[in-house]
Amino acid sequence: MVDKPRLEAFYGKPVTVAHRETVESDSDEILRDADSVNVAFLVVGDPYGATTHTDLVLRARERNIPVTTIHNASIMNAVGATGLQLYNFGQTVSIVFFTDSWRPDSFYERVAENAALGLHTLCLLDIKVREQSIENLMRGRPVYEPPRYMSVSLAAEQLIEVEASRQGNVCGADALAVGVARVGSDDQLIRAGTLRQLAAHDFGAPLHSLVLVGHRLHLLEAEILRTHAIDLDSLNRTLKDKYKLE
């Protein structure tokens, strides 16, 4: 993650930080002078990875403002760094922070559908930035909670909990998964193991993602996963018992 001063130094231009509510509710401000001057909208990851960005393009075209897209790498393709083949991935799901009163598991059906086809599932992990407490929200106070980024270990714990409730045998404690952190950086981390092992592993600073490994695992994929194993003996047993790969 690159802070504003570094971005301004790199581009040689002032940068306005546009939070989610700005893009969703105040897009007119972003487009205000775009018919006469160049306005660049910088995003993390793929420009069309969020429907909000597509909506911004539509609003620009309604004003006859030309739009040029410069595509970017994102976790959707950079996850290939795990060694898992991109064409063996199914639907991508999002895992959000559980609360005492809200423990959503609607993603489970998508994971089950992928598992039935033997496909891998990329799990995007929750990010909480500029979130307000219930009290501050109700009182209309612009006070925000500290940023939170879901870790691989927490995501693994939540998946295990959901499996215990759903009992569809798709993301239990012994399910094979891959955790990734800071993909593309000099200190990126990739580790393969069961969800139980990932839940106990420290992946360090954000951003994190997690992949549930499908049963159509290719021999070459398995070989690369071995290089990322938290516990090689344990991984070899899982590959032999569940994937029939020696």
Side-chain angles (χ1 to χ4, degrees):
M1 291 179 286
V2 182
D3 58 23
K4 177 181 174 180
R6 287 185 63 189
L7 286 174
E8 291 180 330
F10 180 80
Y11 290 111
K13 296 181 181 295
V15 173
T16 300
V17 177
H19 299 288
R20 184 171 62 185
E21 57 266 29
T22 303
V23 181
E24 292 178 349
S25 305
D26 200 18
S27 59
D28 288 346
E29 181 62 23
I30 297 174
L31 299 174
R32 179 165 51 88
D33 298 318
D35 59 343
S36 57
V37 298
N38 289 330
V39 176
F41 180 65
L42 306 177
V43 302
V44 176
D46 188 274
Y48 293 108
T51 54
T52 304
H53 303 162
T54 303
D55 180 67
L56 187 62
V57 170
L58 291 174
R59 291 175 183 273
R61 288 176 176 165
E62 287 173 357
R63 298 183 178 199
N64 294 317
I65 297 172
V67 176
T68 299
T69 302
I70 300 174
H71 294 282
N72 190 19
S74 80
I75 191 60
M76 301 290 283
N77 51 40
V79 72
T82 60
L84 297 175
Q85 297 167 4
L86 293 179
Y87 52 77
N88 282 341
F89 278 77
Q91 303 167 86
T92 299
V93 302
S94 296
I95 312 296
V96 303
F97 283 108
F98 283 177
T99 69
D100 292 338
S101 58
W102 190 56
R103 310 179 89 73
D105 61 1
S106 58
F107 62 84
Y108 191 85
E109 283 78 12
R110 307 289 83 76
V111 176
E113 289 168 0
N114 289 345
L117 295 172
L119 301 175
H120 313 315
T121 301
L122 171 61
C123 302
L124 305 178
L125 308 188
D126 202 4
I127 297 173
K128 297 290 188 186
V129 179
R130 283 176 65 87
E131 295 285 326
Q132 292 179 278
S133 67
I134 298 297
E135 179 182 356
N136 286 327
L137 189 62
M138 293 180 64
R139 294 177 179 272
R141 296 186 299 208
V143 178
Y144 301 96
E145 300 296 299
R148 290 193 297 153
Y149 305 91
M150 183 179 286
S151 65
V152 167
S153 58
L154 179 57
E157 291 176 5
Q158 292 190 180
L159 287 167
I160 293 170
E161 178 183 326
V162 170
E163 179 60 46
S165 172
R166 291 297 198 96
Q167 297 188 353
N169 194 31
V170 296
C171 58
D174 293 326
L176 181 59
V178 183
V180 300
R182 302 173 301 284
V183 173
S185 67
D186 292 338
D187 66 341
Q188 76 173 16
L189 183 66
I190 302 172
R191 291 291 180 266
T194 64
L195 283 177
R196 180 185 293 108
Q197 290 171 329
L198 264 58
H201 196 77
D202 182 6
F203 282 79
L207 297 167
H208 295 186
S209 298
L210 183 149
V211 179
L212 294 166
V213 179
H215 67 75
R216 282 171 47 186
L217 187 70
H218 189 272
L219 181 62
L220 181 61
E221 292 177 298
E223 281 300 308
I224 298 180
L225 289 187
R226 287 186 174 100
T227 69
H228 300 309
I230 292 176
D231 181 324
L232 183 56
D233 290 338
S234 172
L235 177 60
N236 281 332
R237 286 194 298 271
T238 297
L239 292 174
K240 180 180 179 179
D241 295 344
K242 293 191 174 184
Y243 295 85
K244 310 305 179 187
L245 294 173
E246 296 286 352

